[in-house]
Amino acid sequence: MLNAALSTSTSRHPVPASIKCGSPEPRSPLSLMGAPMRYPRNTEIFGEDEPAEYLYQVVSGAVRTYKMLDDGRRQVSAFYLPGDVFGFEAGETHATSAEAISDSQILVIKRSALMARADHEKDLAQQLWTLTARELERTQRHVLLLIKRAEERVAGFLLDMERRAAKAKAVELAMSRQDIADYLGLTIETVSRTLTQLQQTGVISLSSSRCVELRNRTALAQLNA
Amino acid sequence: MLNAALSTSTSRHPVPASIKCGSPEPRSPLSLMGAPMRYPRNTEIFGEDEPAEYLYQVVSGAVRTYKMLDDGRRQVSAFYLPGDVFGFEAGETHATSAEAISDSQILVIKRSALMARADHEKDLAQQLWTLTARELERTQRHVLLLIKRAEERVAGFLLDMERRAAKAKAVELAMSRQDIADYLGLTIETVSRTLTQLQQTGVISLSSSRCVELRNRTALAQLNA
DNA sequence: GCAGATTATTGATGTAAATCAAGGTCTTAT
DNA sequence: ATAAGACCTTGATTTACATCAATAATCTGC
C-alpha cells in the first residue's frame, strides 16, 4: 500500500496526459533502392554468422541487433530507428543477429548489387565507408557508456534516444526494460530503479513506462560527462 | 610473512627462468610509405579532438589510445602492437588521444596524400575501408568484454593479447596494470587479484608481472565464452 | 650497492548493482 | 468484462568489485 500510494499519487502520473510521445520520421541518408519488407514484432531479420546478403534501412518501427553468449546472457549491440541503416558488414557474415522490436517496415537492399555499383560510383563507395565509420563511432560511444555507473549509463542512453528520436515533447522508447538492460549491461531491476530515481529527483518524468520526458537535460548531460 | 611465503615459494616463480617473452614481429597489411618516427615511452602521439592529419603504423613498441572523462576516469580504447594501424578517423579529428606505452617506432603517413591516392586507386580505397571495418569489429569485441565479470574480462584480454602477440612461449604485456584496468573497466587491484587467482588455479603463470604464460587455454576460452 | 620513485600485490572494509522474491500494471484474446 | 500472460516496479538480501590502506617488488639514477 505504501507501494500503491507511491505509484499512483506521486511517481506514475506527474505529467499532464496531454504530453504525447512522438515517433521518429524516416530520413534518407543514402539513396537506397530496395524492396520494402514488413517484419512483425520480435521476428528475426537475420541471424548471427549468416551470410550478409543484404543491407537494411529502417522505414518505420525499431530494430535491435544482439549477440547471445554461451551461458544465455544477451548483449544488445545497437538499436536502429527510422532512417538508420544496419546489417552492413565488412566480412561475408553478420556479426550479430537482428530482430524487429516492434512491427517494422524495412528497406532491404541487395549487397552484391550495391557493391557492384560502388565499384564504379565513387560517391556511393564513400557513403558506404562513412556508414561503417559511423557505426564505429556509435560503438565507441557504447564502450564509453559501459564503463560508467548505472545512473550514468541510463542518462547517456536517454540522451542518445532523445537525440535520435523525433522532435517531440517526450521520447518514445520502442524497446523493453530487458532490451535496455541488455544494451547497458545492467539488469532490468537496476534500469527500472534508476529510471524511478531519476523521476523522483525531477530529472525525467515517465508518463508511461515507455514514454519519457527529459525535464532536466543539464543534469542528464552532467551524468553523461 | 604469509604474504612473503606465498609470493616467493608458490605463486611468483613456478616456471623455469628459461621461459622468455617474445615481442611481436612487424607485419605489413598495408603497403604504407611514411616517415618512421620515434616516440619515447609515455609521450603523446596525438590528442583527442586534434585534426587527424596522419595515419600511423606501429613498427616496434606499443601504443594505447584513450579518452579522458570529465571526472578524471580514463577509458583506454585500444592497444596497438607492431603491424597495427591506428589513428585513422572517418571525420576530420581524432576521437581519442594516443600515447606510446613503451619507446616506439612508428610509421607516420600523411592522410591527405593517402586519400588522394585512394581517390583513383580502388584497391587502396578498399584497404582503407577494411581498416575501419576491422576497427569496428575490434570495438564490438571490446563491448562484449565489458558486460562480463572481471575474471572473464581478464581471460578475454589475455587471449586477445596472445592471438596478436608474437608466437612465443609466453605473452609479453607491454602495458601496466593501470592500462589494463582502464581498458577493461576495472581497478588495478581487481586486475591484479584476478591474475593472481588465475595463477593459483593453474590457468596462467606469471614469470614476471609483465610476462604471462597461458597454461590452460581451454579454461581461458571457457571464461571468454 | 643504495635511495627514491614507480608499479604491483595483498588485506580489510564499503558499496553499487545483482539476485531473489513478490506484487502491480498493461495487453491481448476469449 | 475477465482471465492469462507479458512487462514493469519495488523490497530484502547477497555479492562482486571498488575503495582505502599498507607492504612488496621492480626500476632508475647516483
Side-chain angles (χ1 to χ4, degrees):
Chain A
M1 355 60 198
L2 173 59
N3 173 0
L6 257 180
S7 54
T8 51
S9 67
T10 68
S11 329
R12 296 208 51 75
H13 297 298
V15 253
S18 61
I19 288 180
K20 289 246 301 293
C21 282
S23 297
E25 295 288 308
R27 283 155 279 160
S28 277
L30 198 53
S31 58
L32 296 170
M33 294 305 292
M37 297 275 289
R38 288 202 63 260
Y39 292 89
R41 180 174 136 85
N42 290 331
T43 51
E44 179 170 276
I45 300 167
F46 55 76
E48 195 173 339
D49 297 326
E50 280 180 17
E53 289 185 54
Y54 302 96
L55 170 65
Y56 304 82
Q57 183 173 32
V58 181
V59 175
S60 67
V63 170
R64 64 178 163 251
T65 54
Y66 66 91
K67 285 175 187 252
M68 292 303 303
L69 277 67
D70 288 6
D71 63 354
R73 275 176 295 180
R74 184 184 68 156
Q75 170 61 35
V76 169
S77 306
F79 297 114
Y80 298 96
L81 304 180
D84 293 342
V85 175
F86 68 97
F88 192 44
E89 310 290 339
E92 296 299 307
T93 57
H94 287 295
T96 61
S97 303
E99 286 174 0
I101 290 175
S102 50
D103 294 358
S104 301
Q105 259 193 290
I106 294 173
L107 232 45
V108 178
I109 303 107
K110 205 165 196 109
R111 189 181 130 106
S112 56
L114 204 64
M115 296 302 270
R117 265 184 59 199
D119 240 28
H120 50 89
E121 290 177 42
K122 261 198 315 216
D123 278 9
L124 180 58
Q126 166 79 18
Q127 271 185 315
L128 294 179
W129 175 73
T130 301
L131 267 175
T132 305
R134 290 253 173 77
E135 200 65 9
L136 173 58
E137 284 169 20
R138 208 195 45 65
T139 308
Q140 284 169 341
R141 280 198 302 275
H142 194 184
V143 166
L144 220 54
L145 270 191
L146 292 180
I147 64 159
K148 297 185 185 175
R149 290 178 307 101
E151 197 182 27
E152 300 172 309
R153 297 190 210 188
V154 172
F157 170 74
L158 290 176
L159 285 170
D160 186 45
M161 280 300 128
E162 140 128 313
R163 188 178 51 75
R164 298 167 57 191
K167 275 249 160 298
K169 196 99 187 3
V171 185
E172 162 82 23
L173 300 178
M175 67 294 292
S176 70
R177 295 290 186 267
Q178 188 64 64
D179 287 333
I180 299 173
D182 289 348
Y183 177 73
L184 296 178
L186 300 170
T187 57
I188 49 172
E189 292 96 330
T190 297
V191 171
S192 183
R193 272 188 254 271
T194 304
L195 287 170
T196 301
Q197 183 199 316
L198 287 173
Q199 169 154 263
Q200 275 163 358
T201 55
V203 175
I204 64 170
S205 114
L206 292 155
S207 58
S208 78
S209 72
R210 301 289 186 104
C211 188
V212 192
E213 192 191 354
L214 310 192
R215 314 199 111 206
N216 188 345
R217 245 151 282 223
T218 317
L220 284 173
Q222 230 144 19
L223 283 170
N224 191 223
Chain B
M1 344 91 184
L2 173 59
N3 173 359
L6 257 180
S7 53
T8 51
S9 68
T10 68
S11 329
R12 296 208 50 76
H13 297 299
V15 252
S18 62
I19 287 178
K20 288 245 302 294
C21 282
S23 298
E25 296 287 310
R27 283 155 278 159
S28 279
L30 198 52
S31 59
L32 295 171
M33 295 305 292
M37 298 276 288
R38 288 202 62 261
Y39 292 89
R41 180 176 137 85
N42 290 331
T43 51
E44 179 170 276
I45 300 168
F46 54 77
E48 196 172 339
D49 297 326
E50 280 180 18
E53 288 186 54
Y54 302 96
L55 170 65
Y56 304 82
Q57 183 173 32
V58 182
V59 175
S60 67
V63 170
R64 62 177 165 251
T65 53
Y66 65 92
K67 285 175 187 250
M68 291 303 302
L69 278 66
D70 288 6
D71 63 353
R73 276 175 295 180
R74 184 183 68 156
Q75 169 61 35
V76 169
S77 307
F79 297 115
Y80 297 96
L81 303 180
D84 292 343
V85 175
F86 68 97
F88 192 43
E89 310 290 340
E92 296 299 307
T93 58
H94 287 295
T96 61
S97 303
E99 285 173 1
I101 290 175
S102 50
D103 294 357
S104 301
Q105 260 194 288
I106 294 173
L107 233 45
V108 178
I109 303 105
K110 208 169 192 103
R111 189 182 130 107
S112 56
L114 205 64
M115 296 302 271
R117 265 185 58 199
D119 239 28
H120 49 91
E121 290 178 40
K122 260 196 318 215
D123 278 10
L124 180 58
Q126 165 80 18
Q127 271 185 315
L128 294 179
W129 175 72
T130 301
L131 266 177
T132 305
R134 290 254 174 77
E135 200 65 8
L136 173 59
E137 283 169 21
R138 208 195 45 66
T139 308
Q140 284 169 340
R141 279 197 303 275
H142 194 183
V143 166
L144 220 54
L145 270 191
L146 291 180
I147 63 158
K148 297 185 185 175
R149 290 177 307 100
E151 196 182 29
E152 300 173 308
R153 296 189 210 188
V154 172
F157 170 75
L158 290 176
L159 285 170
D160 187 45
M161 281 300 129
E162 139 130 314
R163 189 178 50 75
R164 297 166 58 191
K167 275 250 160 297
K169 197 98 186 11
V171 185
E172 161 82 24
L173 300 178
M175 65 294 292
S176 70
R177 294 289 187 268
Q178 188 65 64
D179 287 334
I180 299 173
D182 290 349
Y183 177 73
L184 295 178
L186 300 170
T187 58
I188 49 173
E189 292 96 329
T190 298
V191 171
S192 183
R193 273 188 253 269
T194 305
L195 287 170
T196 301
Q197 182 199 315
L198 287 173
Q199 169 153 262
Q200 276 163 359
T201 54
V203 175
I204 64 170
S205 113
L206 292 155
S207 57
S208 78
S209 72
R210 301 287 187 106
C211 189
V212 192
E213 192 192 355
L214 311 192
R215 313 199 112 208
N216 188 345
R217 244 151 282 218
T218 316
L220 283 173
Q222 230 143 18
L223 284 170
N224 191 223

